[in-house]
Amino acid sequence: MVSRLEPLAQHHSVVLRGHMLRFRTSSLGLTILLVSSGLSCFALQADTPDHISIRNQIVAAYQASIEALNRGDADAAMQIDTDDWTSVVVGQGTRTKQEMSPFIRRDIASMKSPPEWKVVWLPDYEHNGTTTGIQLYNLIVEGRAATVLYLVGSTHEETIGAQMHRVWTGSHVRDSWTQTAAGWKRRKHEKLTINERLIDGRPTK
């Protein structure tokens, strides 16, 4: 759950010290070179068993964090993130986990999600519609790294121009994940928009 947001790009640079090595332009030889040197990093094809498994693990991690917040367990809620996790909100500076954790512990009683909130995988929201809660719509997996795009907000019905529409208000978010010995963990949280509004899954003009 890529939509209108650009996919995560990875750049690799290699500095060869000493003599320059020459290789024949054989495609097989080039492939062996890339794989053996660890430079190749291909995105995992969507909807394969491995991709679906990773997606389910990440959805479960979001859900577990929400449930921990709802019961007032700050430590369990923050287990979703790595120790070097950072958060960036559009128009604001970067905050670290160490900076944010005291505020989460202090304010956790006011951080409960509404009962109707849920975490779902529902891509192509312009056609499939929006939900209330966290709606993952894109997942890119490259090796031990993953990028998730999702909507976080609420959807309600509203009469506009004598017709009933589904109106969503919230934020677009991009989260970066990494695979650790303890499973998939979120390493970076980027809130790309604030108080955005979609009508029937489409931006308002």
Side-chain angles (χ1 to χ4, degrees), residues 21-55:
L21 302 179
R22 296 181 180 274
F23 298 94
R24 296 182 181 275
T25 57
S26 163
S27 60
L28 177 60
L30 179 59
T31 301
I32 293 174
L33 171 64
L34 290 173
V35 173
S36 64
S37 61
L39 299 178
S40 133
C41 186
F42 299 101
L44 185 65
Q45 185 176 352
D47 296 328
T48 60
D50 286 345
H51 188 274
I52 293 172
S53 175
I54 294 169
R55 186 182 76 202

Side-chain angles (χ1 to χ4, degrees), residues 103-153:
F103 298 103
I104 294 174
R105 289 189 171 91
R106 184 193 68 187
D107 301 330
I108 193 167
S110 64
M111 299 175 69
K112 292 183 179 181
S113 302
E116 66 272 18
W117 273 47
K118 56 185 177 180
V119 183
V120 298
W121 163 260
L122 186 62
D124 195 9
Y125 56 83
E126 289 192 356
H127 292 93
N128 295 327
T130 57
T131 63
T132 291
I134 294 178
Q135 180 177 346
L136 286 73
Y137 62 84
N138 188 267
L139 170 65
I140 299 172
V141 180
E142 294 181 308
R144 300 174 66 87
T147 302
V148 177
L149 299 175
Y150 62 90
L151 304 175
V152 56

